[in-house]
Amino acid sequence: MKTRTARVSIIGMGYVGLCTAATFASRGIRSTGIDIDQERIDQIHRGKTPIHEPDLDRLLKTAVKKKLLDGSTDISRITKTDLTFLTVGTPSRSDGSIDLSFIKSASENIGKALYEKQGFHTVVVKSTVVPGTTNGTVRPILEKTSERSVGVNLGLCANPEFLAEGTAIHDALHPDKIVIGSNDKKSTSQLIKLYRQFYRTKQPPILEMSPESAELVKYANNAFLATKVSFINTIANISEKIPGVDVGRIAEAIGKDIRIGPLFLKAGPGYGGSCFHKDLQALINYGKEHGYNPQLFQATEQVNNDQPGRIIEKAESLLGTFTDKRIAILGLAFKKDTDDIREAASIKVIDRLTDRGAKITAYDPMAIPATKKLLADRIEYAETPQTALKGADCAIMMTEWEQLRKLKAKDFQAYMKSPFVVDARRIYDPDEFKDLNYIATGFGK
Ligand code: NAD
């Protein structure tokens, strides 16, 4: 049988890399995913996703079955492809600045592999990196190890990713824009051609700019969204001081202004996940290193850091003390439809409650395995929301999963010991609780 070569290789099979590979394959673009984690690659071979994302399982299974997606730990496989996407992690160092060690080692491995390849090859930096990384860090490593030159026999672009966990597949298939930070015409036109093949008639706008601008677009995008979250949480905190004011109505009204828009205006426990906090910290650090202190983003982070404490205050005002109190935590993931607990407000709340003597039973439809890895037997885990509520002195709603949204006030009444609910997502109707003599307190009312 004639072997078909993959056109695209993707280094780093995490949220971004795997979703990119699976969506490319779903549109007939053969992709090879490379990771240093053998277990992850074995799972991909079995057509099983190592992360939870709606629709990813189905796309992955089909792609693997049709031999459109293949995983490997062997970096030399990239020499059989035309373009290599770099999607490794860019975590924070302890001071908040960006840790480029995965980018550096992956770039070195790519360069060494390309040394053995004939012909032009394009490398696309999709990971979130601070301005100057593509040209200042990736480029010299690639050029040195591959003995190639950008613009001659090596292409290099920055092409940040804007997908969000929980809607990653939808976002990858229907992005609002594609941003390409271009160094050389050939790699840019190769990348545009690939995206034309991918999106066919429904191509999103493609914005070409310098690599440094493209890198900054990603940070600006996330900083704006995070600031919007901290903004509405600030308004919620003020609303609580004013009798008769509900932040939901304020958000609804200001969201009608097209200059503001209705999204990301939901008061709650604050943003979490792998990106907003990490990217804001990287941007703040980058600004400071270059002689500018971005105070606005410091404030965005400060407001966000304070939100879990506000949940604790609400629970404390209901319970008096936490010692030996049983608290049900409803939802662990940082948002619904993901199993990701990185920077989740739930974990910060659990830490503070257990430090003060509370006994926790937590429910989440997806994130219990990840939480068990982090918290082990410091808390108890429930298989249903009802089991978590059983005998609880207080319930704290943390993640807006549909299963939890469906709970009625009478469900709480049927299982709990005391009538106290802190609704950090504002999803329950407080009037329904009032009828049962339950106190349900949310943000911003
Ligand atoms: P992740 O931690 O889920 O996955 C990274 C993967 O890279 C891991 O599987 C790891 O084993 C692998 N890896 C590390 N070094 C490697 C190497 N040398 N060779 C091959 N594989 C290697 O990360 P993620 O969440 O997918 O994020 C990747 C990048 O994309 C980050 O810069 C992140 O900021 C950015 N981003 C993430 C999201 C998101 O929602 N997660 C959205 C947009 C952008």
Side-chain angles (χ1 to χ4, degrees), residues 86-146:
L86 191 50
T87 57
V88 296
T90 47
S92 298
R93 289 197 289 231
S94 55
D95 65 355
S97 63
I98 189 169
D99 175 356
L100 290 174
S101 54
F102 295 119
I103 291 281
K104 287 179 186 168
S105 70
S107 301
E108 193 175 328
N109 294 342
I110 294 170
K112 283 180 182 162
L114 291 182
Y115 179 76
E116 306 291 338
K117 187 193 168 183
Q118 302 291 318
F120 196 88
H121 194 96
T122 291
V123 176
V124 182
V125 179
K126 212 172 221 330
S127 297
T128 302
V129 290
V130 291
T133 306
T134 300
N135 275 340
T137 302
V138 177
R139 180 176 180 156
I141 296 175
L142 281 180
E143 289 191 324
K144 185 171 172 220
T145 47
S146 67

Short mmCIF file of all heavy atoms in Angstrom, two decimals, residues 86-146:
data_model
loop_
_atom_site.label_atom_id
_atom_site.label_comp_id
_atom_site.label_asym_id
_atom_site.label_seq_id
_atom_site.Cartn_x
_atom_site.Cartn_y
_atom_site.Cartn_z
N LEU A 86 4.42 24.47 16.82
CA LEU A 86 4.98 24.34 18.16
C LEU A 86 3.88 24.69 19.16
O LEU A 86 3.42 25.84 19.22
CB LEU A 86 6.17 25.31 18.26
CG LEU A 86 7.11 25.23 19.44
CD1 LEU A 86 7.59 23.81 19.68
CD2 LEU A 86 8.32 26.13 19.21
N THR A 87 3.42 23.69 19.92
CA THR A 87 2.31 23.92 20.85
C THR A 87 2.65 23.41 22.26
O THR A 87 1.78 22.91 22.97
CB THR A 87 1.02 23.22 20.35
OG1 THR A 87 1.30 21.82 20.19
CG2 THR A 87 0.54 23.79 19.05
N VAL A 88 3.92 23.51 22.64
CA VAL A 88 4.30 23.07 23.99
C VAL A 88 3.87 24.13 25.01
O VAL A 88 3.55 25.26 24.66
CB VAL A 88 5.83 22.81 24.10
CG1 VAL A 88 6.25 21.68 23.19
CG2 VAL A 88 6.63 24.07 23.81
N GLY A 89 3.87 23.75 26.28
CA GLY A 89 3.44 24.66 27.35
C GLY A 89 4.44 25.80 27.57
O GLY A 89 5.64 25.66 27.31
N THR A 90 3.90 26.93 28.05
CA THR A 90 4.76 28.07 28.42
C THR A 90 4.34 28.51 29.82
O THR A 90 3.68 29.54 29.99
CB THR A 90 4.60 29.23 27.41
OG1 THR A 90 3.21 29.46 27.17
CG2 THR A 90 5.29 28.94 26.10
N PRO A 91 4.67 27.69 30.84
CA PRO A 91 4.19 27.99 32.20
C PRO A 91 4.85 29.23 32.80
O PRO A 91 5.71 29.84 32.18
CB PRO A 91 4.59 26.73 32.97
CG PRO A 91 5.68 26.09 32.20
CD PRO A 91 5.52 26.50 30.78
N SER A 92 4.44 29.54 34.03
CA SER A 92 5.04 30.69 34.74
C SER A 92 6.20 30.20 35.58
O SER A 92 6.14 29.10 36.14
CB SER A 92 4.04 31.28 35.72
OG SER A 92 2.92 31.77 35.07
N ARG A 93 7.23 31.04 35.71
CA ARG A 93 8.25 30.77 36.73
C ARG A 93 7.73 31.31 38.06
O ARG A 93 6.67 31.96 38.09
CB ARG A 93 9.55 31.48 36.33
CG ARG A 93 10.21 30.82 35.13
CD ARG A 93 11.64 31.25 35.02
NE ARG A 93 11.75 32.63 34.63
CZ ARG A 93 12.51 33.08 33.63
NH1 ARG A 93 13.22 32.22 32.92
NH2 ARG A 93 12.57 34.35 33.36
N SER A 94 8.47 31.09 39.16
CA SER A 94 7.92 31.47 40.46
C SER A 94 7.67 32.98 40.57
O SER A 94 6.79 33.43 41.30
CB SER A 94 8.82 30.99 41.60
OG SER A 94 10.11 31.48 41.39
N ASP A 95 8.41 33.80 39.81
CA ASP A 95 8.17 35.26 39.86
C ASP A 95 7.08 35.69 38.87
O ASP A 95 6.81 36.89 38.73
CB ASP A 95 9.47 36.03 39.57
CG ASP A 95 9.99 35.81 38.15
OD1 ASP A 95 9.40 34.98 37.42
OD2 ASP A 95 10.97 36.46 37.76
N GLY A 96 6.45 34.73 38.18
CA GLY A 96 5.36 35.06 37.26
C GLY A 96 5.83 35.22 35.82
O GLY A 96 5.02 35.20 34.90
N SER A 97 7.14 35.37 35.62
CA SER A 97 7.63 35.56 34.25
C SER A 97 7.51 34.24 33.48
O SER A 97 7.37 33.17 34.07
CB SER A 97 9.08 36.05 34.25
OG SER A 97 9.91 35.08 34.84
N ILE A 98 7.58 34.34 32.16
CA ILE A 98 7.34 33.15 31.32
C ILE A 98 8.53 32.19 31.37
O ILE A 98 9.69 32.62 31.33
CB ILE A 98 7.02 33.59 29.87
CG1 ILE A 98 6.55 32.41 29.01
CG2 ILE A 98 8.22 34.29 29.21
CD1 ILE A 98 5.96 32.83 27.67
N ASP A 99 8.22 30.90 31.48
CA ASP A 99 9.25 29.86 31.46
C ASP A 99 9.32 29.30 30.04
O ASP A 99 8.38 28.65 29.57
CB ASP A 99 8.85 28.76 32.47
CG ASP A 99 9.80 27.57 32.45
OD1 ASP A 99 10.72 27.56 31.61
OD2 ASP A 99 9.59 26.65 33.26
N LEU A 100 10.41 29.59 29.36
CA LEU A 100 10.53 29.19 27.96
C LEU A 100 11.31 27.88 27.80
O LEU A 100 11.73 27.55 26.69
CB LEU A 100 11.21 30.30 27.15
CG LEU A 100 10.39 31.58 26.94
CD1 LEU A 100 11.22 32.66 26.25
CD2 LEU A 100 9.13 31.30 26.13
N SER A 101 11.49 27.14 28.90
CA SER A 101 12.34 25.95 28.78
C SER A 101 11.77 24.90 27.82
O SER A 101 12.52 24.28 27.07
CB SER A 101 12.63 25.34 30.15
OG SER A 101 11.44 25.08 30.82
N PHE A 102 10.43 24.72 27.80
CA PHE A 102 9.85 23.73 26.86
C PHE A 102 10.01 24.22 25.41
O PHE A 102 10.27 23.44 24.50
CB PHE A 102 8.37 23.49 27.15
CG PHE A 102 8.13 22.86 28.49
CD1 PHE A 102 7.38 23.52 29.46
CD2 PHE A 102 8.64 21.60 28.79
CE1 PHE A 102 7.16 22.94 30.70
CE2 PHE A 102 8.42 21.02 30.03
CZ PHE A 102 7.69 21.69 30.99
N ILE A 103 9.84 25.54 25.24
CA ILE A 103 10.00 26.13 23.90
C ILE A 103 11.44 25.91 23.41
O ILE A 103 11.67 25.51 22.27
CB ILE A 103 9.68 27.65 23.93
CG1 ILE A 103 8.18 27.88 24.19
CG2 ILE A 103 10.17 28.38 22.69
CD1 ILE A 103 7.29 27.71 22.98
N LYS A 104 12.39 26.16 24.31
CA LYS A 104 13.80 26.05 23.91
C LYS A 104 14.16 24.60 23.57
O LYS A 104 14.77 24.35 22.54
CB LYS A 104 14.70 26.57 25.04
CG LYS A 104 14.68 28.07 25.18
CD LYS A 104 15.57 28.50 26.33
CE LYS A 104 15.46 29.99 26.59
NZ LYS A 104 16.06 30.41 27.84
N SER A 105 13.75 23.66 24.45
CA SER A 105 14.18 22.28 24.17
C SER A 105 13.45 21.73 22.95
O SER A 105 14.05 21.02 22.14
CB SER A 105 14.04 21.38 25.40
OG SER A 105 12.70 21.17 25.66
N ALA A 106 12.17 22.10 22.77
CA ALA A 106 11.45 21.62 21.57
C ALA A 106 12.07 22.23 20.31
O ALA A 106 12.24 21.55 19.30
CB ALA A 106 9.98 21.97 21.68
N SER A 107 12.46 23.53 20.38
CA SER A 107 13.07 24.18 19.20
C SER A 107 14.37 23.49 18.84
O SER A 107 14.67 23.27 17.66
CB SER A 107 13.36 25.66 19.48
OG SER A 107 12.19 26.33 19.82
N GLU A 108 15.13 23.13 19.87
CA GLU A 108 16.41 22.46 19.62
C GLU A 108 16.17 21.10 18.95
O GLU A 108 16.83 20.75 17.97
CB GLU A 108 17.14 22.28 20.95
CG GLU A 108 18.58 21.88 20.76
CD GLU A 108 19.35 21.83 22.08
OE1 GLU A 108 19.03 22.62 23.00
OE2 GLU A 108 20.26 21.00 22.17
N ASN A 109 15.17 20.37 19.48
CA ASN A 109 14.87 19.05 18.89
C ASN A 109 14.39 19.19 17.44
O ASN A 109 14.76 18.40 16.58
CB ASN A 109 13.78 18.33 19.71
CG ASN A 109 14.27 17.99 21.09
OD1 ASN A 109 15.48 17.98 21.34
ND2 ASN A 109 13.35 17.73 22.01
N ILE A 110 13.56 20.22 17.20
CA ILE A 110 13.06 20.44 15.82
C ILE A 110 14.24 20.74 14.90
O ILE A 110 14.38 20.17 13.82
CB ILE A 110 12.03 21.60 15.79
CG1 ILE A 110 10.77 21.24 16.57
CG2 ILE A 110 11.68 21.99 14.36
CD1 ILE A 110 9.81 22.42 16.79
N GLY A 111 15.10 21.65 15.36
CA GLY A 111 16.26 22.05 14.55
C GLY A 111 17.15 20.87 14.21
O GLY A 111 17.54 20.68 13.05
N LYS A 112 17.43 20.04 15.21
CA LYS A 112 18.30 18.86 14.98
C LYS A 112 17.66 17.92 13.97
O LYS A 112 18.33 17.35 13.11
CB LYS A 112 18.55 18.12 16.30
CG LYS A 112 19.57 18.84 17.18
CD LYS A 112 19.78 18.05 18.47
CE LYS A 112 20.75 18.76 19.40
NZ LYS A 112 20.64 18.26 20.77
N ALA A 113 16.33 17.74 14.10
CA ALA A 113 15.64 16.85 13.15
C ALA A 113 15.69 17.44 11.74
O ALA A 113 15.90 16.72 10.77
CB ALA A 113 14.20 16.64 13.60
N LEU A 114 15.53 18.76 11.64
CA LEU A 114 15.50 19.40 10.32
C LEU A 114 16.87 19.37 9.63
O LEU A 114 16.96 19.50 8.41
CB LEU A 114 15.00 20.85 10.42
CG LEU A 114 13.52 21.01 10.79
CD1 LEU A 114 13.14 22.49 10.81
CD2 LEU A 114 12.63 20.25 9.81
N TYR A 115 17.92 19.21 10.42
CA TYR A 115 19.28 19.11 9.86
C TYR A 115 19.33 17.95 8.87
O TYR A 115 20.04 17.99 7.87
CB TYR A 115 20.27 18.90 11.02
CG TYR A 115 21.70 18.74 10.58
CD1 TYR A 115 22.44 19.86 10.18
CD2 TYR A 115 22.30 17.49 10.55
CE1 TYR A 115 23.75 19.71 9.76
CE2 TYR A 115 23.61 17.34 10.14
CZ TYR A 115 24.33 18.46 9.74
OH TYR A 115 25.62 18.32 9.32
N GLU A 116 18.51 16.93 9.16
CA GLU A 116 18.51 15.72 8.32
C GLU A 116 17.55 15.83 7.14
O GLU A 116 17.48 14.92 6.32
CB GLU A 116 18.08 14.49 9.17
CG GLU A 116 18.88 14.26 10.43
CD GLU A 116 20.31 13.81 10.14
OE1 GLU A 116 20.54 13.29 9.04
OE2 GLU A 116 21.17 14.00 11.03
N LYS A 117 16.80 16.92 7.06
CA LYS A 117 15.76 16.99 6.01
C LYS A 117 16.25 17.78 4.79
O LYS A 117 17.01 18.74 4.95
CB LYS A 117 14.50 17.66 6.59
CG LYS A 117 13.32 17.63 5.63
CD LYS A 117 12.17 18.55 6.03
CE LYS A 117 11.20 18.66 4.87
NZ LYS A 117 10.09 19.55 5.08
N GLN A 118 15.80 17.38 3.63
CA GLN A 118 16.07 18.14 2.41
C GLN A 118 14.90 19.11 2.19
O GLN A 118 13.78 18.80 2.53
CB GLN A 118 16.12 17.19 1.18
CG GLN A 118 17.15 16.08 1.25
CD GLN A 118 18.57 16.63 1.17
OE1 GLN A 118 18.85 17.53 0.37
NE2 GLN A 118 19.45 16.12 2.01
N GLY A 119 15.17 20.25 1.61
CA GLY A 119 14.09 21.15 1.20
C GLY A 119 13.60 22.07 2.30
O GLY A 119 13.98 21.96 3.47
N PHE A 120 12.72 22.97 1.89
CA PHE A 120 12.19 24.02 2.77
C PHE A 120 11.28 23.42 3.87
O PHE A 120 10.58 22.45 3.63
CB PHE A 120 11.37 25.00 1.92
CG PHE A 120 11.07 26.30 2.58
CD1 PHE A 120 11.96 27.37 2.49
CD2 PHE A 120 9.89 26.48 3.29
CE1 PHE A 120 11.68 28.58 3.09
CE2 PHE A 120 9.60 27.69 3.90
CZ PHE A 120 10.50 28.75 3.80
N HIS A 121 11.33 24.01 5.04
CA HIS A 121 10.44 23.57 6.12
C HIS A 121 10.00 24.80 6.93
O HIS A 121 10.80 25.69 7.18
CB HIS A 121 11.14 22.58 7.05
CG HIS A 121 10.19 21.86 7.97
ND1 HIS A 121 9.67 20.61 7.69
CD2 HIS A 121 9.65 22.22 9.17
CE1 HIS A 121 8.86 20.24 8.66
NE2 HIS A 121 8.83 21.21 9.57
N THR A 122 8.74 24.80 7.29
CA THR A 122 8.21 25.94 8.06
C THR A 122 7.90 25.54 9.49
O THR A 122 7.29 24.49 9.73
CB THR A 122 6.94 26.49 7.37
OG1 THR A 122 7.34 27.10 6.14
CG2 THR A 122 6.24 27.53 8.22
N VAL A 123 8.32 26.39 10.43
CA VAL A 123 7.99 26.19 11.84
C VAL A 123 7.03 27.32 12.26
O VAL A 123 7.28 28.49 11.96
CB VAL A 123 9.27 26.20 12.72
CG1 VAL A 123 8.92 26.10 14.20
CG2 VAL A 123 10.21 25.06 12.31
N VAL A 124 5.95 26.93 12.92
CA VAL A 124 4.91 27.90 13.31
C VAL A 124 4.80 27.88 14.84
O VAL A 124 4.47 26.85 15.42
CB VAL A 124 3.55 27.51 12.68
CG1 VAL A 124 2.49 28.53 13.04
CG2 VAL A 124 3.67 27.35 11.18
N VAL A 125 5.06 29.02 15.48
CA VAL A 125 4.98 29.09 16.94
C VAL A 125 3.53 29.41 17.33
O VAL A 125 3.05 30.52 17.14
CB VAL A 125 5.95 30.16 17.50
CG1 VAL A 125 5.85 30.23 19.02
CG2 VAL A 125 7.38 29.86 17.08
N LYS A 126 2.85 28.39 17.85
CA LYS A 126 1.44 28.56 18.25
C LYS A 126 1.32 28.77 19.76
O LYS A 126 0.32 29.30 20.24
CB LYS A 126 0.64 27.32 17.82
CG LYS A 126 -0.79 27.65 17.48
CD LYS A 126 -1.50 26.48 16.87
CE LYS A 126 -2.38 26.87 15.71
NZ LYS A 126 -2.97 28.19 15.74
N SER A 127 2.32 28.32 20.51
CA SER A 127 2.30 28.53 21.96
C SER A 127 2.23 30.04 22.24
O SER A 127 2.66 30.84 21.42
CB SER A 127 3.58 28.00 22.60
OG SER A 127 3.70 26.62 22.41
N THR A 128 1.71 30.37 23.42
CA THR A 128 1.66 31.78 23.82
C THR A 128 3.04 32.18 24.34
O THR A 128 3.51 31.62 25.34
CB THR A 128 0.61 31.96 24.92
OG1 THR A 128 -0.65 31.51 24.40
CG2 THR A 128 0.50 33.41 25.36
N VAL A 129 3.69 33.12 23.66
CA VAL A 129 5.05 33.53 24.05
C VAL A 129 5.15 35.05 24.07
O VAL A 129 4.50 35.72 23.27
CB VAL A 129 6.12 32.94 23.09
CG1 VAL A 129 6.23 31.43 23.28
CG2 VAL A 129 5.84 33.27 21.63
N VAL A 130 5.97 35.58 24.96
CA VAL A 130 6.07 37.05 25.07
C VAL A 130 6.73 37.62 23.81
O VAL A 130 7.50 36.93 23.13
CB VAL A 130 6.85 37.50 26.34
CG1 VAL A 130 6.04 37.21 27.58
CG2 VAL A 130 8.23 36.89 26.41
N PRO A 131 6.40 38.90 23.49
CA PRO A 131 6.93 39.49 22.26
C PRO A 131 8.45 39.36 22.16
O PRO A 131 9.17 39.61 23.12
CB PRO A 131 6.51 40.96 22.36
CG PRO A 131 5.29 40.93 23.22
CD PRO A 131 5.51 39.82 24.20
N GLY A 132 8.88 38.93 21.00
CA GLY A 132 10.31 38.79 20.75
C GLY A 132 10.79 37.35 20.84
O GLY A 132 11.92 37.05 20.47
N THR A 133 9.93 36.44 21.33
CA THR A 133 10.38 35.05 21.54
C THR A 133 10.61 34.32 20.21
O THR A 133 11.60 33.60 20.06
CB THR A 133 9.35 34.27 22.39
OG1 THR A 133 9.11 35.00 23.60
CG2 THR A 133 9.85 32.88 22.74
N THR A 134 9.69 34.50 19.26
CA THR A 134 9.82 33.76 17.99
C THR A 134 11.16 34.13 17.32
O THR A 134 11.92 33.26 16.92
CB THR A 134 8.63 34.07 17.06
OG1 THR A 134 7.44 33.67 17.75
CG2 THR A 134 8.74 33.35 15.74
N ASN A 135 11.41 35.43 17.25
CA ASN A 135 12.65 35.84 16.56
C ASN A 135 13.87 35.86 17.47
O ASN A 135 14.99 35.66 17.00
CB ASN A 135 12.46 37.23 15.93
CG ASN A 135 11.82 37.09 14.56
OD1 ASN A 135 11.87 36.02 13.95
ND2 ASN A 135 11.20 38.16 14.08
N GLY A 136 13.65 36.09 18.77
CA GLY A 136 14.81 36.24 19.67
C GLY A 136 15.25 34.94 20.32
O GLY A 136 16.41 34.81 20.73
N THR A 137 14.33 33.97 20.43
CA THR A 137 14.69 32.70 21.11
C THR A 137 14.58 31.51 20.15
O THR A 137 15.53 30.76 19.96
CB THR A 137 13.76 32.48 22.33
OG1 THR A 137 13.90 33.59 23.21
CG2 THR A 137 14.10 31.20 23.08
N VAL A 138 13.41 31.36 19.53
CA VAL A 138 13.19 30.19 18.67
C VAL A 138 14.12 30.24 17.45
O VAL A 138 14.78 29.26 17.10
CB VAL A 138 11.70 30.10 18.24
CG1 VAL A 138 11.48 28.93 17.29
CG2 VAL A 138 10.81 29.97 19.46
N ARG A 139 14.15 31.42 16.80
CA ARG A 139 14.92 31.53 15.55
C ARG A 139 16.41 31.18 15.70
O ARG A 139 16.90 30.32 14.95
CB ARG A 139 14.75 32.95 14.99
CG ARG A 139 15.50 33.17 13.70
CD ARG A 139 15.21 34.56 13.17
NE ARG A 139 15.91 34.79 11.94
CZ ARG A 139 15.53 35.67 11.03
NH1 ARG A 139 14.46 36.39 11.23
NH2 ARG A 139 16.22 35.83 9.92
N PRO A 140 17.15 31.78 16.67
CA PRO A 140 18.57 31.42 16.76
C PRO A 140 18.79 29.94 17.08
O PRO A 140 19.73 29.33 16.55
CB PRO A 140 19.11 32.32 17.88
CG PRO A 140 17.95 32.97 18.52
CD PRO A 140 16.79 32.87 17.59
N ILE A 141 17.91 29.36 17.91
CA ILE A 141 18.08 27.92 18.24
C ILE A 141 17.86 27.08 16.98
O ILE A 141 18.64 26.19 16.65
CB ILE A 141 17.11 27.49 19.37
CG1 ILE A 141 17.44 28.22 20.67
CG2 ILE A 141 17.17 25.97 19.58
CD1 ILE A 141 16.47 27.95 21.81
N LEU A 142 16.78 27.39 16.25
CA LEU A 142 16.48 26.62 15.04
C LEU A 142 17.58 26.76 14.01
O LEU A 142 18.02 25.77 13.41
CB LEU A 142 15.18 27.14 14.40
CG LEU A 142 13.84 26.71 14.98
CD1 LEU A 142 12.71 27.34 14.18
CD2 LEU A 142 13.71 25.19 14.96
N GLU A 143 18.03 28.01 13.81
CA GLU A 143 19.04 28.25 12.76
C GLU A 143 20.34 27.54 13.11
O GLU A 143 20.99 26.94 12.24
CB GLU A 143 19.27 29.76 12.58
CG GLU A 143 18.07 30.43 11.93
CD GLU A 143 18.31 31.86 11.46
OE1 GLU A 143 19.04 32.61 12.14
OE2 GLU A 143 17.76 32.24 10.42
N LYS A 144 20.70 27.57 14.40
CA LYS A 144 21.97 26.95 14.81
C LYS A 144 21.91 25.43 14.66
O LYS A 144 22.79 24.80 14.08
CB LYS A 144 22.25 27.34 16.26
CG LYS A 144 23.60 26.86 16.76
CD LYS A 144 23.94 27.44 18.12
CE LYS A 144 25.20 26.77 18.62
NZ LYS A 144 25.16 26.48 20.03
N THR A 145 20.83 24.84 15.19
CA THR A 145 20.78 23.37 15.22
C THR A 145 20.45 22.76 13.86
O THR A 145 20.84 21.62 13.58
CB THR A 145 19.78 22.87 16.28
OG1 THR A 145 18.56 23.62 16.11
CG2 THR A 145 20.28 23.08 17.68
N SER A 146 19.73 23.50 13.02
CA SER A 146 19.37 22.92 11.71
C SER A 146 20.37 23.32 10.62
O SER A 146 20.34 22.77 9.53
CB SER A 146 17.97 23.39 11.30
OG SER A 146 17.99 24.78 11.04
#
